[in-house]
Amino acid sequence: MTGTTTDTFGAEIMSRIDDLAALSESPDGLTRRYLTPEHRQANDLVGRWMGDAGMTVRQDAVGNIIGRYEGVSEGLPAVLIGSHLDTVVMAGKFDGMLGVITGIACVGELNRRGRRLPFAVEVVGFGDEEGVRFQSGYLGSHALAGNFEPALLERRDADDISLAEAMTAFGLDPARVGDAARRAPDVLAYLELHIEQGPVLESQGLPVGVVTTIAGATRLAVSLTGEAGHAGTVPMTLRHDALAAAAECILAVERVCAESPNLVGTVGQIAAEPGASNVIPGSVRFTVDLRAAEDPHRTTALDELMVLLEAAAKRRGVAIEIEKVHEAASVPCDAQLSDLIAGAIERSGWRVQRLPSGAGHDAAAMAGLAPVGMVFVRCEGGVSHNPAESITAADAEAGARVLFQVLNDFPGGS
Ligand SMILES: [Zn+2]
């Protein structure tokens, strides 16, 4: 990067972040779900920015917005830069959006310089990554990678609208979702820039980092069934308190995960029945979310945890049922792309920090189609999925510079 243009990325990115954040289903916090009128508005706005950056713009069969900047000749295979435009409920404004806006900024810079690369560059704003509306994430990136699950078309949202119906209302043809799939030879690589959503870069004093792996995850639904009883009359020694058993289980999750720096475990949801202050809890359901960059760390911990949970329940005379409701293997980022990103960070003057991503990203779905590489940008306090999510303009600038450098360094790119 040279001279005056380096300072323009950050300011433009931050102002566009605010423009996109204004497109919200609720007035008091950012919520933008897949195939809503606000999704349409976001696609329109992002499409306009893509056009301004010299790209031809289209919406694909699943509702992703895609801009394409041709290379030295038309129709060349493309490097894809993407992230998502949907949000969680009461979201932050950088999660997903930053990657799309930064991609457009980089192409805009190529366009301003009149530069064509030996490959095309496409920027993708995925319509669904968070999965809030239909309880299934990565709908946009799975469709583009050719892994859309047709059975999901029958999935219904909270208002009893099926995915197929929502697509039709959005102007899409649910029978043609498969058309969103790209052919592997047409996609050279997938790059995603995303806020870290964790505190590592901040603790290291670094604006950017290279993602090594997108962590694998296991989610469990655990049910404990004891015996409800009168809180005043049943002696402690004769109780089968399901909630006390759950407490032991939760501490076991914490203990097992604390034993390894490579592991995180969370019990984020719990419900006790009958749920009265003067009744011994008879049954409890809780979730376990277990993640690790290396699959063996997760599966070993899972085995250990199963034994501990079952032992805790048995000791208390409480029945336990453990159901595995989700399992995803970890997805490693491509070594060559990661080195390119590391090189770009180094040339920008920062120490290279490599770190795994504990959160899932579109890159995990795109790895089914092409080699993937990810750049993380520092966010304040590691806070995300929260209206307080925040980054500085200087860090937005840093991320854009790295991404732009990666495009220039991409084999055949300079
Ligand atoms: Zn995200």
Side-chain angles (χ1 to χ4, degrees):
M1 291 302 305
T2 53
T4 54
T5 53
T6 53
D7 303 326
T8 62
F9 277 142
E12 183 189 73
I13 288 170
M14 297 302 267
S15 112
R16 287 183 166 181
I17 286 283
D18 286 334
D19 292 344
L20 256 183
L23 307 178
S24 173
E25 292 176 53
S26 69
D28 47 346
L30 174 56
T31 301
R32 194 170 54 240
R33 295 169 307 148
Y34 180 45
L35 301 177
T36 55
E38 291 72 22
H39 177 197
R40 155 85 55 227
Q41 292 167 13
N43 275 4
D44 287 347
L45 181 58
V46 167
R48 266 206 301 285
W49 293 334
M50 288 170 165
D52 291 346
M55 290 182 262
T56 52
V57 184
R58 69 187 177 91
Q59 182 179 277
D60 74 5
V62 76
N64 300 320
I65 187 85
I66 303 177
R68 180 177 168 94
Y69 184 75
E70 295 291 349
V72 287
S73 61
E74 293 220 345
L76 292 171
V79 169
L80 267 53
I81 301 172
S83 200
H84 57 98
L85 295 176
D86 69 321
T87 73
V88 294
V89 176
M90 298 299 279
K93 58 188 178 182
F94 296 93
D95 180 357
M97 282 79 82
L98 180 67
V100 181
I101 291 170
T102 304
I104 296 170
C106 290
V107 173
E109 183 61 16
L110 286 175
N111 190 45
R112 260 190 297 279
R113 296 181 184 194
R115 281 202 62 198
R116 295 283 166 181
L117 301 173
F119 47 85
V121 180
E122 294 189 24
V123 178
V124 187
F126 290 111
D128 173 86
E129 188 266 354
E130 302 285 8
V132 170
R133 184 166 180 190
F134 293 99
Q135 304 298 311
S136 175
Y138 306 121
L139 289 175
S141 41
H142 270 148
L144 199 145
N147 291 319
F148 183 85
E149 180 53 63
L152 290 172
L153 290 169
E154 304 309 316
R155 188 70 71 88
R156 291 184 176 272
D157 70 4
D159 298 318
D160 205 31
I161 298 166
S162 74
L163 174 54
E165 288 160 0
M167 281 182 166
T168 306
F170 200 75
L172 302 170
D173 180 353
R176 309 208 58 165
V177 185
D179 292 358
R182 302 294 295 269
R183 294 172 53 245
D186 296 335
V187 180
L188 296 171
Y190 173 79
L191 298 170
E192 181 163 357
L193 176 143
H194 202 284
I195 55 165
E196 183 200 336
Q197 304 181 281
V200 174
L201 291 173
E202 188 176 67
S203 73
Q204 299 292 314
L206 293 168
V208 285
V210 191
V211 178
T212 51
T213 314
I214 298 161
T218 302
R219 249 166 261 152
L220 306 176
V222 183
S223 305
L224 294 165
T225 309
E227 195 175 8
H230 196 292
T233 59
V234 184
M236 298 308 283
T237 50
L238 298 179
R239 294 185 178 200
H240 303 288
D241 183 330
L243 190 52
E248 243 189 83
C249 294
I250 294 167
L251 290 176
V253 172
E254 187 186 46
R255 194 168 60 250
V256 166
C257 293
E259 279 166 7
S260 160
N262 309 304
L263 206 61
V264 286
T266 306
V267 175
Q269 218 175 28
I270 185 163
E273 299 284 339
S277 63
N278 59 353
V279 181
I280 300 162
S283 65
V284 171
R285 278 182 68 81
F286 67 91
T287 57
V288 179
D289 179 307
L290 201 62
R291 305 189 197 206
E294 310 277 342
D295 290 335
H297 286 143
R298 177 171 46 86
T299 49
T300 305
L302 186 62
D303 293 344
E304 191 184 338
L305 202 56
M306 293 287 208
V307 173
L308 291 172
L309 298 194
E310 270 159 19
K314 194 174 175 196
R315 225 173 16 253
R316 290 171 171 276
V318 169
I320 186 166
E321 234 176 274
I322 304 174
E323 189 192 350
K324 200 183 281 180
V325 290
H326 169 84
E327 185 152 58
S330 65
V331 176
C333 290
D334 180 73
Q336 260 177 304
L337 282 178
S338 297
D339 286 348
L340 267 188
I341 294 168
I345 289 173
E346 221 160 28
R347 283 167 67 177
S348 301
W350 295 295
R351 182 170 64 73
V352 174
Q353 173 76 41
R354 295 179 190 257
L355 69 167
S357 172
H361 296 291
D362 289 302
M366 291 298 290
L369 178 72
V372 302
M374 282 195 77
V375 182
F376 265 172
V377 174
R378 165 172 59 189
C379 62
E380 194 184 325
V383 173
S384 182
H385 283 189
N386 184 323
E389 196 177 85
S390 172
I391 74 166
T392 64
D395 286 1
E397 172 80 29
R401 268 199 255 177
V402 167
L403 194 61
F404 189 75
Q405 189 66 51
V406 170
L407 278 182
N408 283 276
D409 293 347
F410 195 84
S414 52

